[in-house]
Amino acid sequence: MLKVKKMLMWNILNRYNFKSEIYRAVDLSSYTSFKIGGKADLFIIPYSWEELIFIIQTLKEHDFPIRIMGQGTNILVPDEGIRGAVIKLNQKLGKIDVIDSEHVEVESGCLISTLLSFVLEKNMGGLEFMIGIPGTLGGAVMGNAGAFRRSVGEFVEGVYVIDENLEERFLDKKELTFNYRSSNIPRNWILKKIILKLERKAKDSALKEIKFFIQERNKKLPKYPSAGSVFKNPKEGPAAYFIDSLGFKGFRIGDAMVSHEHANIIVNLGKARSRDVLDIIDIIRSKVKEVYGIDLEPEIIFW
């Protein structure tokens, strides 16, 4: 029955001659920084917001499951894959517009690296600490990504979202809440555009900060594929400290291993499975709870 439904959706979507790209049985490991995970029944890269909304509407009308992803930098996809459609927001939905000397409006599919390069040339700054954070601005804002004790939520003045009824609405700063690695933007909404308030900053000054942050990040980031920090830092201190103190660096199941460079990162040595990563996470959480009484909360998203 599922196979029939997949083929039906494929045929329905292709009737409309979309500019959007629609594929079947796509290996999601190619689209995540972890390089782990099985296939999606349908994989869609929308060309425009109008096509995106129409496609989602069509999928919903046929009760076809939907997941939205950005650059796939903080998700763990199961080995058995994803039933339904995975929609990837990318640079086609990543336009940047300058509002005035301090404000920019950025579509959620914009890569963080692209945004930093753009504002650098406009003598706008403040986000230099985000250099080296992979992924899209939309994903970063949803999870309030950050580094060096700063986070992107500090700069968000408002967002345009598409809600569960596929209606666009605007949320201003007063309606938004950004906490450590989280926001109050519902996960079943789609973040469309973000308004950022930046600082006036000379290009040379911003470049100097960027070089510093790159050097600091390179000291502790592993070279193997990963999804970044596995756990949020608890109030008691850095998660990496507690994990490292228990001797987990180098701990390995299959091709999944706790990084030697950073204890709060699990890397894929080549052929790691989702199950291997989950087993390591369970073991670490259990041991940290036993020894320190701390419940580590995952930062990566489990699909």
Side-chain angles (χ1 to χ4, degrees):
M1 185 64 185
L2 180 59
K3 187 175 182 180
V4 173
K5 194 169 186 178
K6 285 189 289 184
M7 185 58 70
L8 175 65
M9 284 311 309
W10 167 261
N11 290 333
I12 289 172
L13 291 175
N14 277 285
R15 287 178 193 165
Y16 297 102
N17 195 28
F18 290 125
K19 289 185 178 180
S20 300
E21 301 168 45
I22 304 171
Y23 304 100
R24 284 182 292 179
V26 169
D27 190 341
L28 292 174
S29 65
S30 301
Y31 291 92
T32 69
S33 60
F34 231 149
K35 303 303 177 189
I36 293 174
K39 295 180 179 180
D41 293 334
L42 293 181
F43 187 75
I44 301 167
I45 303 176
Y47 180 84
S48 67
W49 291 105
E50 292 74 22
E51 286 197 2
L52 169 63
I53 291 172
F54 187 84
I55 287 169
I56 292 176
Q57 201 166 31
T58 304
L59 292 168
K60 284 189 170 187
E61 286 171 359
H62 291 83
D63 296 319
F64 205 71
I66 304 166
R67 286 185 181 270
I68 307 291
M69 70 179 290
Q71 200 67 5
T73 54
N74 70 329
I75 60 175
L76 179 62
V77 177
D79 302 311
E80 59 271 21
I82 297 296
R83 305 285 70 81
V86 172
I87 300 175
K88 177 179 171 61
L89 306 184
N90 71 352
Q91 296 94 315
K92 288 185 174 66
L93 305 179
K95 184 181 177 184
I96 309 172
D97 287 315
V98 175
I99 298 174
D100 56 37
S101 62
E102 291 186 325
H103 296 84
V104 291
E105 183 179 87
V106 189
E107 290 186 332
S108 61
C110 180
L111 291 174
I112 293 169
S113 56
T114 301
L115 173 61
L116 289 175
S117 296
F118 181 91
V119 298
L120 188 70
E121 295 300 324
K122 303 293 182 182
N123 291 310
M124 302 169 87
L127 298 176
E128 292 79 14
F129 66 91
M130 295 187 74
I131 190 70
I133 297 179
T136 61
L137 181 63
V141 170
M142 289 289 282
N144 195 22
F148 303 101
R149 300 185 180 180
R150 303 294 303 274
S151 58
V152 68
E154 300 169 38
F155 299 85
V156 177
E157 291 289 292
V159 298
Y160 291 90
V161 297
I162 299 169
D163 66 19
E164 68 275 13
N165 299 313
L166 299 182
E167 295 178 358
E168 184 173 317
R169 60 170 79 180
F170 177 74
L171 303 176
D172 66 22
K173 190 173 184 176
K174 294 178 183 177
E175 299 173 273
L176 295 168
T177 302
F178 292 100
N179 293 314
Y180 174 68
R181 300 299 178 264
S182 68
S183 74
N184 66 335
I185 303 170
R187 286 283 172 184
N188 62 334
W189 290 8
I190 298 171
L191 187 51
K192 183 179 180 181
K193 291 187 291 188
I194 302 101
I195 297 175
L196 298 171
K197 182 178 181 181
L198 304 178
E199 309 163 2
R200 297 303 300 165
K201 184 174 289 189
K203 183 177 178 180
D204 288 347
S205 176
L207 276 173
K208 186 176 180 180
E209 289 187 39
I210 284 172
K211 288 177 182 176
F212 168 77
F213 288 130
I214 289 174
Q215 289 172 352
E216 290 301 304
R217 289 181 69 85
N218 286 342
K219 291 177 183 177
K220 55 186 179 181
L221 288 182
K223 306 304 179 187
Y224 290 104
S226 76
S229 294
V230 175
F231 300 104
K232 297 178 181 180
N233 290 328
K235 65 180 186 298
E236 292 84 356
Y241 168 80
F242 300 107
I243 299 167
D244 190 13
S245 70
L246 296 173
F248 275 111
K249 279 185 177 178
F251 179 73
R252 175 175 176 176
I253 296 178
D255 265 3
M257 184 185 76
V258 178
S259 169
H260 287 289
E261 291 84 2
H262 196 300
N264 195 21
I265 295 177
I266 295 174
V267 297
N268 177 3
L269 298 177
K271 296 181 179 179
R273 300 176 306 151
S274 176
R275 186 68 260 166
D276 301 331
V277 175
L278 290 172
D279 286 345
I280 291 177
I281 288 173
D282 287 343
I283 291 169
I284 289 175
R285 292 185 76 183
S286 176
K287 195 65 178 177
V288 170
K289 174 67 174 176
E290 176 191 336
V291 175
Y292 294 107
I294 296 171
D295 287 308
L296 290 180
E297 182 183 351
E299 184 170 328
I300 61 176
I301 298 169
F302 305 129
W303 272 21

